[in-house]
Amino acid sequence: MNLSDLIENYIMEAIADSEQVELKRSEIAQEFNCVPSQINYVISTRFIPELGFYVESKRGGNGYIKISRINLSKVDFVQDLIYKIGRKMSQSVMEVYLRELLRYNVIDSKNASIISAALSEKSLSQVDKLKRDSVRADSFKNILVNLI
């Protein structure tokens, strides 16, 4: 598991108890022995409205990061995700979205594994490299449409 995943899991555990958490960026960075910008990266890529989160941030000495879970219905969540995907999607972004679909109980772990395998770089190896992310995005959106 990479550092970003560890930080994400740490924040998710903190949110799980209360649906909202207020954190100090510097304290998390110290805990994981990383720079605060690593915390910013995780928050800006994994705790976004399209994935069901609202982030409020204040910088400076008394600064904080407040992360709240937005309670979307499964249909709203999937529709927002379809819109967010756009025309291209890398395998790593797809994996983030699959984790969120699991968290919202839209899919189970078996289906997440199947989708991941079907849209992996290995499975798309016969598709021109410049078109893989487009094919992956279109296929993923098609799967999501059929889920709802």
Side-chain angles (χ1 to χ4, degrees):
M1 189 176 285
N2 67 38
L3 181 59
S4 293
D5 292 337
L6 293 172
I7 295 168
E8 176 188 14
N9 289 340
Y10 174 86
I11 295 171
M12 288 304 297
E13 286 177 19
I15 292 174
D17 296 334
S18 64
E19 296 295 311
Q20 179 178 339
V21 67
E22 190 171 306
L23 305 164
K24 298 271 188 190
R25 188 180 348 264
S26 60
E27 290 174 7
I28 299 171
Q30 188 174 18
E31 170 133 359
F32 288 95
N33 194 27
C34 66
V35 294
S37 62
Q38 179 72 39
I39 309 305
N40 292 343
Y41 169 77
V42 171
I43 290 169
S44 67
T45 59
R46 301 189 184 193
F47 294 91
I48 58 177
E50 294 84 359
L51 296 177
F53 296 97
Y54 173 75
V55 177
E56 182 181 331
S57 179
K58 179 183 175 201
R59 296 185 183 265
N62 292 324
Y64 62 85
I65 302 166
K66 188 185 294 183
I67 303 173
S68 306
R69 197 180 273 288
I70 302 168
N71 292 319
L72 299 172
S73 73
K74 287 181 184 179
V75 172
D76 288 339
F77 176 74
V78 171
Q79 287 175 335
D80 287 345
L81 189 56
I82 290 168
Y83 176 76
K84 173 68 178 162
I85 291 169
R87 297 177 59 135
K88 294 182 177 184
M89 181 176 60
S90 68
Q91 183 173 342
S92 60
V93 169
M94 178 192 65
E95 296 296 340
V96 170
Y97 290 155
L98 286 173
R99 283 196 299 273
E100 291 305 310
L101 289 166
L102 283 165
R103 278 198 192 112
Y104 270 88
N105 296 313
V106 175
I107 60 174
D108 59 27
S109 58
K110 181 179 179 182
N111 284 325
S113 294
I114 292 168
I115 294 167
S116 178
L119 300 179
S120 69
E121 285 295 310
K122 184 176 180 180
S123 292
L124 298 176
S125 65
Q126 297 300 311
V127 176
D128 181 271
K129 281 189 176 197
L130 297 175
K131 295 181 180 181
R132 284 184 197 166
D133 288 351
S134 296
V135 170
R136 183 179 294 109
D138 289 345
S139 298
F140 195 70
K141 286 189 277 190
N142 191 37
I143 290 168
L144 292 176
V145 165
N146 284 285
L147 285 174
I148 57 172

